[in-house]
Amino acid sequence: MAEYKLEVTTGDMTHAGTSDYIYVTLIGTEGESERTELDNYGIDFTAGKVRTYTVKSKASLGKLLLVKVEKDPLFSLIDDEWFCSKIVVTTPEKEVILFPCNRWVSSGELVELRGGKAVKIFEEEHPLLIDHRKKELILNNRLYKWALYDPAMPHINNFKDTSDLPEEIRFSVSKKLEIVHTSIVGGGELKLKGLVGSTGEWENIEAMKEILMLNKTPTSEYVSEHWKEDEFYGYQFLNGSNPSVIQRCLKLPSNFPVTEEMVKPFLQKGSSLKKEMEKGNIFLCDYKRMDGLPTRMYNGKPLPLTAGLGLFYVNPENKLMPIAIQLHQQPSEQNPIFLPSDPESDWILAKMFLKNADTIQYEAVYHLTSTHYLAEGFTIATLRNFPAIHPFYKLLIPHFRYTLQINTDGRPKLMGPDGALSQGSLGTEGLTELMRRGFSEITYSFLCLPEDIAARGLESIPNFYYRDDGLKLWSIVNSFAKEMVEYYYPSDSEVRKDIELQAWINDIYSHSFLANKKTGIPTSFQTVEELIKFITMVIFRVTGQHAAVNNGQYDYQGWMPNSSLLMRKAPPTTKGQSSMKTIMETLPNIGETIHFMTMALVLTYKYSDVVPVGSYPVERFDEPAPKKIIKEFQEKLAQLSEAIGKRNSKLALPYNYLDPAQMENSIAI
């Protein structure tokens, strides 16, 4: 009689356990066991618990191939679902084999688990496993389908509502409750004060600050105190929520006629604009992509939108300072160039309108399109093309946790007629067109941080913590990807003959990048080096890049005068006509302010079920080598986190967004 020891782990999430009957059948190369009920004294399957069972067979089953799991209801009319995390089997030959499950099991459902080391398709030998692999992908392709969102945008998942999603890829119960709680708490006290939905106007800046203080962070409080300062304004284009636009300026655009006389007072004594350009000290933000976009109707009139240009100077104190702002693309007498020497309210308004354009473009292009929508495509392609035994399924699926849920749930809440982003200056039509324009310009090079930094000429600009931390993180992720890829693909020929891998990248190219050759996205992988680079990009984009553009939303947009999605009055066309009253009338009203603040709060709140970058709490790999690589990855991330902490301890305003200790392993919010 051969005995197999089974360690069965139930998931630790709410309602993961079951009182139903669980049966297993072990299938090996030499036969299969009898269908055996897993039954010990007491309650067997409670959340977070590991229970041990014995399955007997008349003889050894040979090499163990599959574990068949079935569930029958204790009460015939009730389906008490069970979340099985994993089953670890010790064979009579003392071999210990991990069979990952990580899914809900329903009554009457038959689940076949495959265990052992990761296997590529060309390594399969046993007909039963070849058939199992094929059937798994057929089922996944029926379940996860591509859908059209907009003809000029990345394709999305086919689920109409989050309730249609498979339960194992939905939010945990705790996260659902916390999101609801955050929304209620974020607006609860304000609702009692009659501010939620109010169309009233702010009396003054101080009244607005009282509201911010209800949910303040150290950074949001700093922002509310320093938002008028030019030094802090410039700092935000490097280290705020959107570090993706600014670039070195070696020659002024022809439609931005800044003269030497205009900016001479703001440059180093004895210098000139020409000299500072030659030194590499002049930088530009150009929002030409937003020119001509349709805006939302507001009180019967279209809202204003400025596709402006901003010129910045790194002064001898290494501070990035704004020195000129033009609010529309075409220069004219009604489109003056604003300067720091202009009346204070004129200069503040010019900075606010430029930041309004930056904030809208940031949310639509650099946040939603460039991280969320691309990650959704990576997720769908992975689920459709890699069976659970494939090494890249095991490697990548933890980096796609909750991504389909947050995108399916978030699209209507952000982009719908009453969505948070649609209540800004653009509205749904303008936002969609902006996203189309932004997506049409995305390239593989832009998605790879070292290349993007070089293309924008930002290698040496001082106090650029996004670049400093980001390049270090990119290097760590690249090293991790290199070791993982080279372990499973020791030669270029192995890359080329993995048809599942080739189908994966072709799916991404065709659906996430619409088969656009100009993007530079590969259509296939020919070498190990190509594969390493792409895996690095994917992991960095859904971890570091998303953290950089997501986690500072409330910090910088919670204080509305600093960064608003909505400007209600047209910008000044002549100087000397504005006042603080003009500024208050231009900013969102009370209800709109609360709406935007609550959105930012929900999207940046620290939820309790966060999985930090580099953490793989769900065990998927059964081999020592990848486990060792993961451990080294975690150690390097911890070292980077420590270095960032030491740097930040010396800064008046710490930059935490690329600290691995504060970064999620996936786009989960």
Side-chain angles (χ1 to χ4, degrees), residues 98-113:
L98 168 69
F99 289 82
C101 183
N102 305 305
R103 58 165 293 175
W104 294 91
V105 181
S106 301
S107 295
E109 187 177 10
L110 188 154
V111 178
E112 290 183 341
L113 306 180

Side-chain angles (χ1 to χ4, degrees), residues 371-372 375 399 401-403 406 541-542 546 665-669:
T371 63
H372 279 261
H399 294 292
R401 176 178 181 256
Y402 293 162
T403 298
I406 192 61
R541 187 131 294 264
V542 301
H546 179 255
N665 207 33
S666 63
I667 296 179
I669 191 63

